[in-house]
Amino acid sequence: MEKTKVAIVGLGTVGAGVARLLLEHGDRTARHAGRTLWLEKAVVRDLKKSRGYDLPSGVITTDLNEVLKNPDIQVVAQLVGGLEPARTIMLQLLEAGKDVVTANKALLAEHGPELFDRARALGRCIAFEAAVAGGIPIITNVSQCFSANQVLSLHGILNGTSNFIVSQMDEQGWSYDAALKEAQRLGFAEADPAMDVDGTDAAQKLAILAHLAFGARIRWNQIPRVGIDSLDAIDLRFAKELGYRIKLIAAAQLTSAGLELSVSPTLIRIGNPLAEVRANYNAIRVVGDAVGDLFFHGQGAGQMPTASAVVADMIDTAVGRAPITFRTLELWSNRESPVSIRPDDDLPGRYYMRFQVADQPGVMAKLTAILGEQKLSIASIIQHEPLPRVQGSSVQLVIMTHEASEGAARTAVERIMSLSVVSGDSVRMRVME
Ligand code: HSE
């Protein structure tokens, strides 16, 4: 059987999973590729580091030149995280004539235009299914299977670590710190978990999807984003009382005024399939004008789900499918963006707001007057009787609004926070039915 020699650069969690699939399940890859994907080299930084997996002798090396200078190696899985040296290695691989597969969404979100231009100029290809939503084949779907559609909206749970933390806090009563530690132990979190929990990782993935689905030329750091790092368990309880769960939602919605993009903790009505996405699972709901409503669900983080997407890309590259897709996609090309990005302040939505207020006469009237001035209509209010029943102490007040603009909701919260009867921090979250 024909043999395609491949290599891995970076043998961390995902890299070790890729090695395992290639070495232990060569029969599967051979069946699907019609050729053997032969792991020739795996490049690591530290030979002594334990990886819980032994590679055949002669495969593992610390010298990238053993890949760059070996013309027989055609496809390389570049699985080094972060921006540098990942960017330099990627360019070196392309210059050396290799087609590259990567799971590094931060690298693509930051340096996509440069890397894709270089690959195009050199006649090489970059495949990156694993960069968004791990094992869910969302890149292939959005970039190829919806070609006959105008995508109208895309709502995703794109960060497995955040979803794991929120699910464990909500369903098991875990603390934030305990849930984060477990997500790190299970290999879901980035090397710097701040990027998972502050919304960066989800915004980077959303920027890639918005590019593919809408042609939007947006940098990830232009997307308004809030993470789950300041989420309070009390809001999970109030949300449940109101019939919702809180999830970190990455949203892209096409409107007549442009494309709305955001990443934020959002109340999702229980019964909406996004509200049922648990643990490290990711999900993406896509609406296309011809195909209608589609829902993708699966493990978006973790060793084997991500390795599954990487190996599928290596097969696609080896058989020549990925290079054709790469050429036709014109990703990060100089083509002008066909959509404008709608400003944050215009985004319409319903809001959940929580304030800590003094429990005394006239407080509610002051708050509702401000909401009225901003043309925010109240849908429901929760205030529980304080225990012990001491009048004048402070209580939590939760307000659900009808639809309003982001700008009006923000102004209302700022003005309410300046009242002397309001103390502590406020919370404002979007609501999805
Ligand atoms: N750290 C990411 C997550 C996985 O938790 O979803 C890789 O994208």
Side-chain angles (χ1 to χ4, degrees), residues 7-287:
I8 301 171
V9 181
L11 216 48
T13 305
V14 177
V18 171
R20 182 173 294 235
L21 284 177
L22 291 174
L23 293 169
E24 290 180 8
H25 298 291
D27 53 332
R28 290 183 207 164
T29 45
R31 198 166 62 244
H32 291 290
R35 68 193 71 204
T36 306
L37 258 59
W38 181 265
L39 181 58
E40 185 75 5
K41 289 287 164 198
V43 184
V44 298
R45 218 171 22 195
D46 177 5
L47 280 178
K48 292 205 193 81
K49 192 173 157 195
S50 154
R51 296 177 169 84
Y53 190 66
D54 290 330
L55 294 179
S57 70
V59 170
I60 202 157
T61 175
T62 52
D63 185 2
L64 181 64
N65 281 318
E66 289 193 31
V67 173
L68 296 175
K69 301 219 165 114
N70 182 342
D72 292 341
I73 296 175
Q74 296 163 26
V75 182
V76 181
Q78 201 287 91
L79 300 170
V80 175
L83 300 182
E84 282 295 356
R87 171 184 156 274
T88 303
I89 293 172
M90 186 88 132
L91 289 168
Q92 286 176 305
L93 290 168
L94 293 169
E95 302 286 348
K98 317 296 180 196
D99 288 324
V100 183
V101 173
T102 186
N104 188 335
K105 98 254 40 168
L107 180 64
L108 297 183
E110 202 62 56
H111 297 296
E114 178 194 16
L115 297 170
F116 278 63
D117 273 355
R118 202 66 205 121
R120 268 189 287 268
L122 292 162
R124 304 272 43 104
C125 100
I126 300 172
F128 54 99
E129 182 61 72
V132 179
I136 305 176
I138 192 64
I139 296 291
T140 304
N141 272 281
V142 172
S143 55
Q144 296 174 47
C145 307
F146 298 145
S147 308
N149 288 259
Q150 170 62 61
V151 176
L152 302 173
S153 67
L154 190 152
H155 289 93
I157 293 174
L158 298 179
N159 185 262
T161 302
S162 295
N163 204 49
F164 182 83
I165 293 172
V166 175
S167 300
Q168 297 306 101
M169 285 169 73
D170 195 19
E171 293 159 29
Q172 314 293 339
W174 287 21
S175 72
Y176 177 92
D177 288 340
L180 173 58
K181 220 173 252 163
E182 183 64 359
Q184 287 177 287
R185 193 186 69 78
L186 292 169
F188 306 151
E190 298 297 302
D192 174 6
M195 295 178 76
D196 289 298
V197 296
D198 72 3
T200 297
D201 178 82
Q204 290 174 333
K205 291 168 178 166
L206 182 62
I208 294 171
L209 290 180
H211 201 107
L212 293 169
F214 304 96
R217 302 299 194 257
I218 176 112
R219 287 184 62 77
W220 68 270
N221 52 12
Q222 293 172 292
I223 298 176
R225 67 188 186 283
V226 180
I228 56 138
D229 40 359
S230 54
L231 193 63
D232 193 320
I234 195 176
D235 294 305
L236 295 168
R237 292 198 291 274
F238 276 126
K240 211 178 271 176
E241 196 176 331
L242 290 157
Y244 296 83
R245 290 206 177 90
I246 297 176
K247 300 282 173 190
L248 185 69
I249 296 290
Q253 179 119 21
L254 198 58
T255 73
S256 55
L259 185 65
E260 300 168 357
L261 294 163
S262 63
V263 171
S264 58
T266 302
L267 275 76
I268 316 274
R269 170 82 70 189
I270 293 172
N272 180 324
L274 285 169
E276 310 308 325
V277 179
R278 310 277 164 84
N280 66 319
Y281 277 72
N282 280 194
I284 302 113
R285 190 172 192 168
V286 188
V287 180

